[in-house]
Amino acid sequence: MHAEYTMLMSVALDDEATPAEQQHLRDHLRTCAECAGVWERWQAVDRRLDAAPRMIPSAGFAGMVMARIEAQSLKPQRARRLNSRLVAVLLAAGLLLALALTGSLLYWGAQNPTQVSSAFFAALRGVGTATWVFLGFLRLMGGVGAPALAAGVGLLATLTCVFSILWLWVVGRSHAVITGQASAS
Amino acid sequence: MEDQEFLWLEQARRGDQAAFARLVGAYQGPVYNLCYRMLSNAPEAEDAAQETFMRMYTKLHTYQPERKLSSWLLSIASHYCIDRLRRRRGQWISLDEEPVAATLPSQNRGPEDLALRAESRDEVQRLVDMLPAAYRVPLILRYWYDLSYAEIAEVLGLTVQAVKSRLHRARLQVIEKTPASSTLAMAPAGVLGVR
């Protein structure tokens, strides 16, 4: 059998062959007895598949679907449209909050350099606890909507930025405090 | 889509369950048949078809009117059945399960004819069952729904070339698994013409 012709046979059975392809296949089948035999088998199987009946569901099928919808209190979901103005306002508010927090922390750190490290680790513990509470809440609610997720991610991103800046500042400040103490002693 | 169906769809989107029930009535046959041909088990097919309509109900807002409603529904059903076949893989099959115990349209035929049809039906279904899910779906959509390559591609989210190739491979596997002596492979005389 010529393997390259089976694709043509398949396309011909699907009525998707061009007239040129049909002619090409016809010409080949006239000269190749083996491929003609294969084509015969393909056509026979095609005919059986074509004649196979369509199955139908049991009576009362639609009623059963509606009963399941009712039992599970399913409702058609509404299309969610992202309000771009709201997103811009939320982003700007987040940025302002991040700047205000960073400024306040830097100012407080400059006034109380010795308490920075303990405050930093206390804040870290606070974030850890808040994360666990947030995750527990999600599990309890069984999911989370897009606005809540965006707010959560925004808050985490802001906190990450704040603590990164604070960390750099703490490292620099600690170095200055240590070298200052060393030179004083 | 027919105007009537479009109206039902709009009403169902607004929460009208009676309108949705009419849509289920209109499409239950094609959806159930696809599920049955994919899963080869009547109770499982019925459950899958019901699940398809439930998914349709909750996702009504995602339907785009430029798409054929039947294509959208068959797409949901195909993907759900493929997932179900994946989950089924590796599970034990109960000896009590009757893979071909499906409901056929009632027709007034003699017992011999019915027996012959049942035998042929079983043989066809056995062939379909032997195919991997990726080849099974295009074959079912081609033979039981008479969809073109472009339509099958739309339902399955594939390219036309991929559909063409999968149908070709499906046929190669079907032929490979059909003994020449099988009634399936016996051609009536004089059928050699290319369409």
Side-chain angles (χ1 to χ4, degrees):
Chain A
M1 184 186 65
H2 297 93
E4 66 271 24
Y5 284 96
T6 59
M7 175 60 96
L8 261 186
M9 289 181 197
S10 182
V11 175
L13 286 175
D14 291 330
D15 289 332
E16 301 260 359
T18 62
E21 285 172 330
Q22 288 180 24
Q23 190 57 50
H24 184 54
L25 180 61
R26 234 179 263 130
D27 292 345
H28 178 71
L29 293 176
R30 267 191 218 109
T31 56
C32 178
E34 197 182 355
C35 283
V38 171
W39 175 235
E40 214 171 305
R41 280 186 70 195
W42 277 50
Q43 280 188 305
V45 172
D46 178 69
R47 196 161 281 106
R48 284 300 175 93
L49 283 165
D50 251 344
R54 285 187 175 203
M55 301 300 177
I56 57 167
S58 57
F61 176 85
M64 284 186 271
V65 173
M66 298 318 293
R68 277 179 75 173
I69 286 174
E70 189 76 31
Q72 295 185 24
S73 308
L74 294 180
K75 288 200 165 37
Q77 292 170 3
R78 301 231 171 267
R80 284 183 190 147
R81 286 200 184 90
L82 209 59
N83 187 333
S84 55
R85 190 175 292 175
L86 181 71
V87 170
V89 168
L90 282 175
L91 275 176
L95 196 67
L96 277 176
L97 184 71
L99 283 172
L101 267 174
T102 314
S104 309
L105 282 169
L106 286 175
Y107 178 73
W108 178 81
Q111 299 300 311
N112 308 283
T114 52
Q115 293 174 32
V116 167
S117 295
S118 56
F120 178 72
F121 287 113
L124 265 188
R125 273 197 300 277
V127 171
T129 311
T131 308
W132 283 113
V133 169
F134 186 62
L135 287 175
F137 179 72
L138 285 188
R139 185 164 288 184
L140 200 68
M141 301 302 287
V144 61
L149 193 66
V153 170
L155 184 67
L156 279 175
T158 307
L159 286 172
T160 310
C161 288
V162 167
F163 283 113
S164 306
I165 293 167
L166 194 59
W167 174 254
L168 288 172
W169 183 79
V170 165
V171 171
R173 183 81 188 167
S174 305
H175 182 69
V177 169
I178 291 163
T179 43
Q181 280 170 352
S183 60
S185 64
Chain B
M1 186 170 30
E2 287 176 25
D3 289 348
Q4 183 62 67
E5 285 178 3
F6 187 72
L7 186 67
W8 288 340
L9 193 77
E10 281 306 309
Q11 289 169 339
R13 269 179 170 165
R14 291 195 295 269
D16 183 344
Q17 292 203 350
F20 186 73
R22 288 191 196 101
L23 280 175
V24 176
Y27 286 97
Q28 60 182 7
V31 170
Y32 174 78
N33 181 62
L34 175 71
C35 294
Y36 177 79
R37 292 297 173 190
M38 284 294 287
L39 302 169
S40 191
N41 174 294
E44 221 183 320
E46 196 145 305
D47 184 58
Q50 288 178 11
E51 188 64 40
T52 300
F53 284 110
M54 287 160 70
R55 288 180 176 204
M56 176 198 181
Y57 187 65
T58 55
K59 291 178 189 299
L60 279 172
H61 68 281
T62 64
Y63 173 69
Q64 290 163 344
E66 60 270 18
R67 197 173 176 191
K68 268 173 80 179
L69 185 60
S70 57
S71 298
W72 184 55
L73 253 175
L74 291 176
S75 171
I76 298 174
S78 308
H79 289 108
Y80 179 70
C81 289
I82 290 172
D83 280 349
R84 213 158 160 145
L85 284 171
R86 278 193 197 125
R87 284 203 300 270
R88 192 200 274 178
R89 209 185 295 157
Q91 285 180 2
W92 291 99
I93 297 169
S94 161
L95 289 174
D96 298 332
E97 265 182 34
E98 283 199 47
V100 289
T103 322
L104 272 170
S106 64
Q107 286 165 321
N108 296 324
R109 294 172 183 276
E112 276 178 30
D113 187 31
L114 281 177
L116 204 66
R117 281 173 65 84
E119 191 189 333
S120 160
R121 179 187 86 215
D122 297 353
E123 212 167 349
V124 166
Q125 189 60 42
R126 266 198 294 275
L127 278 180
V128 175
D129 290 347
M130 281 190 272
L131 295 173
Y135 298 163
R136 201 181 296 187
V137 195
L139 195 85
I140 292 168
L141 293 174
R142 160 68 188 90
Y143 282 104
W144 278 277
Y145 299 87
D146 211 19
L147 298 188
S148 66
Y149 286 171
E151 288 167 323
I152 297 173
E154 191 199 334
V155 168
L156 299 178
L158 297 170
T159 61
V160 167
Q161 194 53 41
V163 171
K164 186 174 165 182
S165 163
R166 285 188 192 193
L167 275 167
H168 174 232
R169 287 182 196 168
R171 286 197 172 98
L172 283 175
Q173 290 201 13
V174 164
I175 292 294
E176 189 187 317
K177 286 161 183 167
T178 311
S181 58
S182 162
T183 51
L184 273 175
M186 288 179 192
V191 290
L192 283 174
V194 177
R195 287 175 198 173

